[in-house]
Amino acid sequence: MINPLHVDFSLQRKPGWRQKPDATCDVYVVMARDGSGPMYVKVGMSSHPESRLVSIQTACPLPLLRAMAFTCRSTALARAAEGAMHLHLSEHSTVGEWFRFEWGEESKRLLETAMNDLIDQVDGRNLRQIDLSTVSRSVLERRREAEQARSKQLAAAMEKHRVAVELRAPYKRP
């Protein structure tokens, strides 16, 4: 039997959590499937789910097929929503935050209903599909920009070293 979806709002404030009180955070759901096999679903939270999806794909041997996210008004609320979703899907749990479903309409309805209930309970907003191809391209662009910045820093450091060496080099007196 599926656990009823209920967000425990007492989870919002745990001692020692380092969080900005007014920072928004997203709860995401990612689906992966290989061929005609079962569907694997990951539920998590992130301030930048698009960037998070890149590391998820790197760690997941199956291709990511679909991703969606919605915004919560605080990190604590997102954490409570994520926990409620994990509890709700617990009978399908595999490893960590991954859940296994047999492919079919029943599984799709279960996930869709759970997401809609969750959004209603936490007053979530901005439910959106995440375009996985766009995520890959933007991450590659950011990596290229970071690599160019590192190259510039290295060139500047080498130039500084060259100038320092030239200044210290002995010169012939006339």
Side-chain angles (χ1 to χ4, degrees), residues 151-166:
S151 294
K152 286 181 182 178
Q153 286 176 339
L154 181 61
M158 290 176 71
E159 179 64 17
K160 184 178 177 183
H161 177 72
R162 184 189 65 76
V163 169
V165 168
E166 286 179 0

Side-chain angles (χ1 to χ4, degrees), residues 123-135:
D123 191 26
R125 53 190 187 274
N126 192 20
L127 177 63
R128 64 195 182 281
Q129 299 290 324
I130 300 173
D131 183 3
L132 297 172
S133 62
T134 305
V135 169

Side-chain angles (χ1 to χ4, degrees), residues 66-139:
R66 187 174 177 201
M68 58 186 136
F70 67 90
T71 304
C72 293
R73 64 181 177 269
S74 72
T75 304
L77 194 56
R79 188 172 305 279
E82 176 195 26
M85 190 71 150
H86 285 185
L87 186 61
H88 181 67
L89 301 176
S90 63
E91 83 176 43
H92 298 281
S93 184
T94 57
V95 175
E97 296 178 341
W98 286 94
F99 303 89
R100 183 180 188 269
F101 294 91
E102 293 305 319
W103 188 256
E105 289 303 314
E106 184 180 338
S107 297
K108 291 177 188 177
R109 269 194 309 280
L110 171 73
L111 287 169
E112 186 177 326
T113 302
M115 283 293 286
N116 288 330
D117 288 350
L118 189 61
I119 291 168
D120 289 344
Q121 287 189 46
V122 299
D123 191 26
R125 53 190 187 274
N126 192 20
L127 177 63
R128 64 195 182 281
Q129 299 290 324
I130 300 173
D131 183 3
L132 297 172
S133 62
T134 305
V135 169
S136 299
R137 272 182 281 167
S138 67
V139 168

Side-chain angles (χ1 to χ4, degrees), residues 15-31:
W17 279 3
R18 290 176 287 170
Q19 64 190 24
K20 296 176 184 174
D22 296 324
T24 61
C25 189
D26 291 344
V27 174
Y28 61 83
V29 176
V30 181
M31 297 168 208

Side-chain angles (χ1 to χ4, degrees), residues 34-69:
D34 190 16
S36 61
M39 175 176 58
Y40 289 90
V41 175
K42 181 178 185 338
V43 178
M45 57 177 267
S46 174
S47 298
H48 305 286
E50 289 80 3
S51 297
R52 177 73 179 106
L53 289 177
V54 174
S55 59
I56 290 171
Q57 181 61 84
T58 301
C60 181
L62 303 175
L64 300 182
L65 298 178
R66 187 174 177 201
M68 58 186 136

